[in-house]
Amino acid sequence: QILMVMCSQLLKKVPMFQNREETFINDVLLKLHYEVFQEGDVIVRQNVPGDRMFFIDHGEALMETESYERELCDGDFFGETCVLTKGKHLATVKALTDCQCFSLSWDDFQEALQGFPDIKKDLEKIILVSSDSEVV
């Protein structure tokens, strides 16, 4: 139960999960997978297609592209475009410390959306807007 509360706070930091009904959030929470990465592991690689997004529960990671670097820590997330589009990762993310993460796969996310056609429509709009401007 505590885990669910923690994870729901992680989810609600992501714009696409904000202001959504609790039943949808709970459906998504049930589909999260716990994953652990060790210091130095590359969690995702830029330009490689991905099919899941990650939420950092505990640990630090470095997100890098050619033009910028950003440190990620507890509560941060990445890969959200992949869970929407199964597209390519826009950055490489490497674990700086051991990282405990939760991941959400595209397949599981689609399954959660089945019961929520309005949210699905809304997310499809977001995808169209972001693919036009290519902003993450």
Side-chain angles (χ1 to χ4, degrees), residues 30-122:
L30 294 171
K31 297 185 179 304
L32 294 179
H33 292 276
Y34 185 66
E35 296 194 41
V36 177
F37 297 94
Q38 295 185 317
E39 184 181 336
D41 283 356
V42 173
I43 304 172
V44 301
R45 277 186 201 283
Q46 188 175 4
N47 296 327
V48 173
D51 66 351
R52 57 202 209 282
M53 74 174 291
F54 295 88
F55 305 87
I56 300 176
D57 179 40
H58 189 69
E60 288 169 34
L62 184 66
M63 178 188 272
E64 297 175 284
T65 67
E66 292 78 29
S67 52
Y68 82 100
E69 281 191 356
R70 189 175 134 224
E71 281 201 18
L72 304 173
C73 59
D74 301 9
D76 286 330
F77 59 89
F78 56 93
E80 64 279 14
T81 46
C82 293
V83 85
L84 287 172
T85 64
K86 265 186 152 172
K88 293 182 176 165
H89 282 289
L90 302 171
T92 294
V93 179
K94 222 180 277 175
L96 294 175
T97 63
D98 290 355
C99 281
Q100 295 156 14
C101 299
F102 291 96
S103 67
L104 173 64
S105 75
W106 188 85
D107 291 334
D108 284 344
F109 188 45
Q110 292 306 311
E111 210 173 278
L113 284 169
Q114 293 289 296
F116 301 90
D118 296 354
I119 296 178
K120 195 175 160 105
K121 263 199 208 99
D122 193 42

